[in-house]
Each structure stands twice: as structure tokens, then as C-alpha cells.
Amino acid sequence: MDNLDEFDINILKELEKDGRMAFSAIAANLKISNTMVHQRINRLVEQGVISGIKPIVQEKKIGYDWASFTGITLNKDSDSDRIIEELKNIPEITECYYVTGSFTLYIKIVAKNHEHMRSILYEKIDNIPGIAKTDSIIELGCAFKRNIIL
């Protein structure tokens, strides 16, 4: 947060409440100019602090009742770039992380039901050359999910 000042933090807090909030409303709430809000948000986007304003899809509300966190062990860690590109082609994989420990990658998978999850794991992921094994933990519900608190 070295490059964020009080104005940036307060603008981000307003956007956290409602990412669709008009710049003029943010300006009014913070008692600063609309131009300042616009310039600050543009700078935060250019710096990569904000990567975009997107809807947060509630997967369970659209029929994706199953989720897993799956560790992936690779035959060779040097294959990770190629394997990640193949994982990106599976739309049910919503997150992918490099990790330390027993796995090379850790992914989140969302599925409609038990059979759909089995299909993703056994017919899509396990067929990617270079994946040695997967180890999944089924998600039973999200207690909370948030951005970093400023």
C-alpha cells in the first residue's frame, strides 16, 4: 500500500461497497471533485491495483452446487506453463495458483453435481499430459470471501 494515499484508500472503500457507484456519488460522499475520483481510478487501473469492475457470480444460484479445491502434482514442474494453458480451457476451473508443498498447482473447480465434478476431474483434467495426480477437497460452503481490507 506504499503507493496508495488516503484518497485512494477511501475511493477503493466506496467501490467495495458498490462497484457500480457513479464517480459523482463517490466524489460527493468523499467531498472531493468528480475529476479527482476519475483520475485516481484511472491511475489505480493503470497501476494494476484495480483489474476491473466485474459482477460477482454466485455459482450456486445458477446451478453449480458443487465445488472443490484440487491440488495438482505434475510429472515435471517445468511443464507448468503448458498445463496451465490447458487448464484455462476448462471453464469450470475458476482459480489456479502456484503453491509450495506437495502440489505444484492448486485449483478451484465448480460443477453442477457429483457426476459433473467426476467428469471434469477424470475426463478433462486427468487427460492432460504431464499431470501425475490430483487430490481434491470438496467445498461445503463459503463462510466468507472478501478483498483485502484497507
Side-chain angles (χ1 to χ4, degrees):
M1 282 196 344
D2 295 338
N3 58 347
L4 299 181
D5 65 16
E6 181 181 342
F7 292 110
D8 295 328
I9 291 169
N10 288 333
I11 290 168
L12 289 171
K13 285 180 178 179
E14 290 295 311
L15 288 172
E16 183 71 24
K17 293 177 199 171
D18 180 1
R20 299 174 301 166
M21 186 180 289
F23 291 176
S24 58
I26 295 171
N29 289 349
L30 300 179
K31 297 178 179 38
I32 57 178
S33 73
N34 190 32
T35 302
M36 183 179 187
V37 172
H38 190 269
Q39 289 172 342
R40 294 293 182 118
I41 290 175
N42 283 343
R43 183 176 51 78
L44 291 170
V45 169
E46 288 170 11
Q47 292 177 340
V49 174
I50 300 173
S51 61
I53 307 288
K54 309 178 221 187
I56 299 171
V57 176
Q58 303 298 323
E59 292 121 352
K60 292 190 185 317
K61 297 280 187 181
I62 60 169
Y64 287 81
D65 290 331
W66 278 65
S68 76
F69 296 98
T70 300
I72 299 176
T73 304
L74 305 182
N75 290 327
K76 295 188 306 185
D77 287 349
S78 60
D79 285 343
S80 63
D81 289 342
R82 178 188 54 77
I83 290 169
I84 289 168
E85 288 306 310
E86 293 197 46
L87 292 171
K88 285 180 183 178
N89 292 324
I90 303 171
E92 295 91 348
I93 298 175
T94 59
E95 299 174 48
C96 180
Y97 299 93
Y98 295 103
V99 293
T100 61
S102 302
F103 306 112
T104 305
L105 301 171
Y106 214 68
I107 61 174
K108 181 176 180 188
I109 305 168
V110 295
K112 293 180 178 183
N113 52 44
H114 177 264
E115 184 58 29
H116 187 204
M117 181 65 73
R118 188 206 60 74
S119 171
I120 295 163
L121 287 167
Y122 295 158
E123 296 170 18
K124 294 181 179 182
I125 295 172
D126 281 353
N127 284 326
I128 296 173
I131 292 182
K133 80 173 203 163
T134 61
D135 189 4
S136 295
I137 301 168
I138 298 300
E139 177 225 315
L140 298 177
C142 180
F144 69 89
K145 184 175 181 178
R146 64 178 175 209
N147 287 325
I148 187 73
I149 297 172
L150 300 174

